[in-house]
Amino acid sequence: MTVPEILMPELRYEVDREGKVPAGRATFVTEEPGLVVATFRPGHASEILCKQLNRVCKHIFRSGLWAQRWGADESAEPSEHTLLTIRFELLPADKFPEVLVCLPWERPGEFVWLIRRPHMSPQAIDEANAHLRKAVRAGLWVQRWEEGETKERFFFPEELEDP
């Protein structure tokens, strides 16, 4: 049995400028050790959303709060640090401060991207969540919490350094 390699990856979100997203799809995801790129068909995610998602991801991985388990076995039992649920959810615009289009919320075992409507389409949400469910089943993402830490974490993209 191969032991998964723990990496400090780059996770990047972008709007498609090169025709990468297949016809009929809203998203296209490429993965390799240390790099995951989620590409959205134009009209399915805004540029500002991608910018804020990238800012949060860069902070999470540079700070060592998450890691990627490349080569994880889908049939293995998840470890205590494996991310158990991750998803995108759309919320009405009036639930957000004016400068935010996403509000990432995390607690041990769970991560939710709260997205301000209309910055991501329902089709893109569904496709991204389907991809994330597969990644979670495979144990590809590891959260790093201090022993006994159980508080929630919120990441405010506008307060984080520029990527």
Side-chain angles (χ1 to χ4, degrees):
M1 180 172 137
T2 305
V3 175
E5 183 181 1
I6 303 293
L7 301 171
M8 299 307 294
E10 178 182 355
L11 178 55
R12 188 171 54 227
Y13 293 88
E14 61 187 25
V15 175
D16 193 359
R17 299 200 190 309
E18 301 168 8
K20 295 178 189 176
V21 181
R25 302 269 311 167
T27 61
F28 178 69
V29 178
T30 58
E31 296 177 275
E32 59 187 69
L35 177 64
V36 177
V37 179
T39 305
F40 297 100
R41 179 177 298 286
H44 287 277
S46 68
E47 292 283 350
I48 187 69
L49 174 62
C50 290
K51 180 181 176 184
Q52 289 187 9
L53 293 171
N54 289 337
R55 187 173 280 176
V56 171
C57 288
K58 188 167 269 197
H59 171 77
I60 287 171
F61 291 115
R62 280 189 178 168
S63 301
L65 300 175
W66 283 26
Q68 182 187 38
R69 289 179 65 225
W70 190 259
D73 180 359
E74 217 175 303
S75 64
E77 288 294 315
S79 79
E80 64 184 282
H81 300 292
T82 301
L83 193 57
L84 301 175
T85 62
I86 182 170
R87 67 187 178 281
F88 285 86
E89 288 183 12
L90 280 175
L91 291 178
D94 65 358
K95 300 289 184 195
F96 286 84
E98 189 66 31
V99 297
L100 293 180
V101 298
C102 74
L103 180 60
W105 169 70
E106 181 179 29
R107 62 185 179 186
E110 182 176 23
F111 190 92
V112 181
W113 289 107
L114 301 169
I115 307 297
R116 181 183 184 159
R117 192 174 266 125
H119 288 272
M120 193 170 181
S121 73
Q123 181 182 354
I125 293 274
D126 291 345
E127 290 178 17
N129 285 344
H131 179 81
L132 292 171
R133 279 191 295 276
K134 288 180 191 174
V136 165
R137 265 198 318 276
L140 292 178
W141 298 110
V142 177
Q143 286 179 308
R144 294 188 168 154
W145 291 79
E146 297 294 325
E147 183 78 28
E149 185 180 356
T150 59
K151 304 187 317 186
E152 298 173 313
R153 294 187 238 197
F154 290 91
F155 300 96
F156 298 93
E158 294 303 313
E159 294 176 3
L160 301 174
E161 79 245 14
D162 275 323

